[in-house]
Amino acid sequence: GIPQIISSALSTTIFPLICSKHKTINEKNEIISFSYKMIFAFCVPCVCVFMFFSKPIVSLLYSDGLSYGNINQLDVASHIIKIVSTMVIYSSLSSFTTSLLQAENKSFKACQNLLFGSIISIICFIFLVKNPQINILGDSLSALIGVSITALLNIKDLSKTNTPKINFKKVIAMPLVSSCIMIVVMKFVFSALCGVLPAKILIMFSCFIGFVIYVLLLIILKVFNMQEISILKPIKISKNGLN
């Protein structure tokens, strides 16, 4: 949930910034690019961790409530976690791009895309849940499909405006490479200390090491710079409007 909270906070923060008359076009574009990087920098590693360590994490959080009867609840829960974690990227993008469309006076487009995504999600839910091979996973899958369609439609509509495009190298590639290296280190630590430390302590320690490695890689690769951070200056609101 942390990436979604950050995305919502960014959406709330940047809306008055990109609507301010005292910000130049270049400054507004830098704010938007910085926000895209923030979203992917938080979302990508979270998705990777939950994809590769879903079972240990589920065991850490819910081991006392899981049973191994006719249905292996650990497997089911870990599959759901993987699907929901992937949804984090799209839901964060959906929230952020909706704010951008509103700033571009295209609120109707944002509502239209959300409605279309919701309809598709409901249709998918009806068919997927009825499928005995998918069953309960259909709930998470249908939500993922719906929110991903909404996010992609928003990005498509934004491509027709003056809003800057997503920089693949800085926004997606670098966080992805950093996340892959982080996962490799976490896997090595997890395997090396398996049986040495208790399972619950081991997964928390592995996540901590992974977090440190990831932050260091972002710094080394210079994904963010001080100019981008400093441009997010607070705006004063007077009786005459935004300043």
Side-chain angles (χ1 to χ4, degrees), residues 16-185:
L17 287 172
I18 58 181
C19 290
S20 172
K21 295 179 181 179
H22 294 272
K23 293 288 184 185
T24 64
I25 296 296
N26 287 337
E27 286 178 328
K28 291 178 181 179
N29 289 344
E30 285 179 9
I31 290 169
I32 293 169
S33 298
F34 171 78
S35 301
Y36 272 129
K37 281 196 279 187
M38 281 286 288
I39 289 171
F40 278 93
F42 276 93
C43 289
V44 172
C46 289
V47 172
C48 289
V49 168
F50 279 105
M51 289 294 289
F52 288 93
F53 290 90
S54 58
K55 282 190 178 182
I57 290 172
V58 170
S59 297
L60 170 68
L61 298 175
Y62 306 110
S63 58
D64 294 336
L66 296 172
S67 62
Y68 299 89
N70 294 330
I71 298 174
N72 189 330
Q73 294 183 359
L74 178 61
D75 281 344
V76 173
S78 64
H79 287 316
I80 292 174
I81 286 288
K82 288 178 181 179
I83 297 168
V84 173
S85 67
T86 307
M87 192 168 64
V88 165
I89 294 178
Y90 293 105
S91 57
S92 298
L93 278 175
S94 177
S95 172
F96 179 66
T97 52
T98 295
S99 291
L100 292 183
L101 285 172
Q102 289 173 337
E104 293 284 342
N105 293 319
K106 293 185 178 290
S107 298
F108 178 75
K109 274 289 184 183
C111 293
Q112 193 178 47
N113 294 341
L114 181 60
L115 178 62
F116 183 73
S118 300
I119 292 170
I120 296 296
S121 178
I122 293 170
I123 293 171
C124 290
F125 175 82
I126 293 170
F127 285 98
L128 291 176
V129 172
K130 286 184 176 180
N131 188 321
Q133 293 181 325
I134 299 175
N135 205 290
I136 194 173
L137 298 179
D139 182 24
S140 302
L141 282 171
S142 58
L144 172 61
I145 292 168
V147 75
S148 60
I149 287 174
T150 301
L152 293 173
L153 287 174
N154 283 353
I155 292 171
K156 177 178 172 291
D157 289 330
L158 284 170
S159 66
K160 300 175 184 177
T161 67
N162 294 323
T163 305
K165 309 298 183 290
I166 296 175
N167 184 323
F168 180 81
K169 180 182 177 182
K170 284 278 187 180
V171 174
I172 301 175
M174 286 188 177
L176 186 59
V177 170
S178 301
S179 297
C180 290
I181 296 171
M182 175 193 72
I183 291 297
V184 171
V185 173

Side-chain angles (χ1 to χ4, degrees), residues 8 118 203:
S8 297
S118 300
I203 185 61

